[in-house]
Amino acid sequence: PTLVGISRKRFLELDLCLAHPHERDSATAALSQSLYQRGGVWGFRVHNLAVHQQVFHTLARFSVGLE
């Protein structure tokens, strides 16, 4: 199991041109969800828990049966 700490990292700023750390929350949540779906992730260290909860809940609710 792996603990992932990608929240608001600089590579998101450079790749997406998001200068302020809080602007990277949505990108962080999307990347976290992608890593979670691949498996092997035990947990995530995040700055904005509410955004992550919303993304994970939404994808779990609407992706049932789409696989």
Side-chain angles (χ1 to χ4, degrees):
T2 304
L3 175 63
V4 178
I6 56 171
S7 185
R8 298 182 177 177
K9 294 295 187 235
R10 185 166 169 82
F11 74 88
L12 295 170
E13 172 190 355
L14 299 174
D15 192 50
L16 302 172
C17 299
L18 302 172
H20 299 288
H22 69 274
E23 293 176 332
R24 303 175 204 154
D25 289 337
S26 295
T28 298
L31 185 53
S32 296
Q33 177 63 28
S34 177
L35 293 172
Y36 174 76
Q37 288 179 336
R38 293 178 188 188
V41 176
W42 170 79
F44 296 93
R45 191 216 30 100
V46 301
H47 288 93
N48 191 331
L49 182 59
V51 169
H52 277 72
Q53 287 175 323
Q54 184 178 32
V55 167
F56 276 66
H57 174 76
T58 301
L59 290 173
R61 180 178 169 114
F62 292 103
S63 66
V64 174
L66 296 178
E67 299 172 8

